[in-house]
């Protein structure tokens, strides 16, 4: 049983460019959350997807957008990259309580994508 | 605004001793609290979840307490081993539909167990 997978593992971009990060959740999970983790900090919640819709969003600008596909995999897109977007981007999957669309359960994190913006 | 505080300085413990990590929070009424372990360059790994109506949770050598009056959680590792060396993250989830999934993480405490 594969856990959460993310691609690519590392990425180098320049300011102003756009980037797409990908995530495949753990088998049986239907909810995907994305986090940004700066060096020495804890993960910061970007948004969560459930049933192909963005259900919750943290304090991130509209430059950050996402998508969830019917197979529950997800993408994180960041437009107009800034130097401050350099971070480890983590994807976490869980399963939502039936009928509630809310996940109180443990999250399984992927290994992350290290994004460097020059 | 909501704030989670964990020991910002690294914690150095002799092997075999009990390591105790602290998580304090303000301006928040969480429905549950989680502890994660994170090794360098890797994603966090879930360890324990404790709900607001629970005082204590145990799992093997791990013990978590949750005091909603003090707004504090303590995380204990008994009989610590060098392999327990890692950063430990505290995370809170809210009660409402909108906040339950919007988990807030602390900045973590780096734990080092010396042989």
């Amino acid at each position: 049983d594969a856990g959460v997978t993310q691609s690519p593992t590392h990425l180098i971009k320049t300011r102003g460019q756009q980037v797409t990060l990908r995530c495949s959740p753990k088998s049986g999970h239907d909810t995907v959350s994305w986090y940004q983790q700066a060096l020495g900090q804890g993960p910061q919640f970007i948004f969560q997807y459930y049933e192909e819709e963005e259900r919750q969003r943290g304090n991130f600008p509209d430059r950050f957008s996402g998508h969830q596909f019917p197979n529950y995999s997800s993408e994180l897109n960041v437009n107009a990259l800034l130097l401050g977007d350099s971070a480890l981007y983590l994807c976490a999957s869980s399963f939502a309580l039936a009928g509630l669309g809310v996940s109180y359960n443990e999250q399984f994190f992927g290994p992350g994508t290290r994004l460097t913006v020059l | 605004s909501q704030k989670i505080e964990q020991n910002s300085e690294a914690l150095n413990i002799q092997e075999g001793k009990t390591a105790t990590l602290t998580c304090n929070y303000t301006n928040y009424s969480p429905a549950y609290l989680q502890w994660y372990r994170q090794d360098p360059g890797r994603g966090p790994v879930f360890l324990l979840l404790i709900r607001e109506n629970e005082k204590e949770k145990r799992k093997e050598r791990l013990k978590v307490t949750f005091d909603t009056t003090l707004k504090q959680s303590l995380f204990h590792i008994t009989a610590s081993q060098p392999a327990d060396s890692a950063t430990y993250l505290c995370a809170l989830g809210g009660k409402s539909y909108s906040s339950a999934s919007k988990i807030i993480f602390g900045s973590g405490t780096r734990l080092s167990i010396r042989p």
Side-chain angles (χ1 to χ4, degrees):
Chain A
D1 176 26
V4 179
T5 59
Q6 292 186 243
S7 63
T9 53
H10 296 86
L11 206 50
I12 299 175
K13 292 284 189 179
T14 56
R15 280 178 297 175
Q17 285 189 310
Q18 178 265 342
V19 68
T20 298
L21 310 181
R22 295 176 176 80
C23 170
S24 291
K26 181 178 169 64
S27 178
H29 286 183
D30 56 9
T31 302
V32 173
S33 300
W34 285 93
Y35 293 84
Q36 180 194 67
Q37 186 174 26
L39 204 59
Q41 300 297 315
Q44 283 200 23
F45 178 83
I46 302 175
F47 42 54
Q48 183 183 80
Y49 277 84
Y50 171 71
E51 290 189 337
E52 302 180 48
E53 290 186 1
E54 182 184 295
R55 288 301 183 99
Q56 304 297 337
R57 189 178 184 92
N59 296 325
F60 280 81
D62 293 343
R63 298 187 296 110
F64 290 77
S65 63
H67 189 75
Q68 186 178 36
F69 300 93
N71 67 353
Y72 307 119
S73 67
S74 177
E75 287 182 350
L76 164 65
N77 300 292
V78 187
N79 294 322
L81 285 168
L82 303 174
L83 295 179
D85 294 332
S86 295
L88 180 68
Y89 287 85
L90 295 162
C91 166
S93 75
S94 56
F95 65 90
L97 294 175
L100 296 179
V102 175
S103 176
Y104 295 95
N105 302 293
E106 65 179 279
Q107 296 184 101
F108 288 78
F109 281 83
T113 294
R114 173 70 63 186
L115 173 64
T116 302
V117 182
L118 302 176
Chain B
S1 62
Q2 302 154 350
K3 193 173 180 181
I4 301 175
E5 290 184 348
Q6 296 187 249
N7 309 57
S8 57
E9 295 181 7
L11 193 61
N12 294 297
I13 300 293
Q14 179 73 43
E15 182 178 7
K17 302 291 186 183
T18 296
T20 299
L21 285 66
T22 305
C23 174
N24 295 297
Y25 59 92
T26 55
N27 298 324
Y28 203 59
S29 294
Y32 62 96
L33 184 148
Q34 299 177 334
W35 283 91
Y36 289 81
R37 167 185 173 140
Q38 187 172 26
D39 292 289
R42 306 188 72 172
V45 174
F46 172 84
L47 297 174
L48 281 167
L49 180 151
I50 186 166
R51 301 186 191 281
E52 61 171 334
N53 60 347
E54 298 175 316
K55 296 293 184 187
E56 183 178 296
K57 211 72 169 292
R58 291 175 186 261
K59 179 182 177 182
E60 297 172 352
R61 295 185 295 111
L62 308 179
K63 185 178 85 170
V64 173
T65 63
F66 193 12
D67 189 326
T68 54
T69 301
L70 292 178
K71 294 186 182 296
Q72 180 182 78
S73 173
L74 299 178
F75 177 79
H76 307 271
I77 305 176
T78 58
S80 59
Q81 305 166 1
D84 295 326
S85 299
T87 295
Y88 290 85
L89 298 163
C90 163
L92 303 179
K95 298 178 183 179
S96 68
Y97 170 79
S98 62
S99 63
S101 300
K102 199 182 298 184
I103 295 174
I104 303 172
F105 278 84
S107 57
T109 298
R110 194 168 73 247
L111 175 65
S112 292
I113 308 297
R114 59 182 185 273

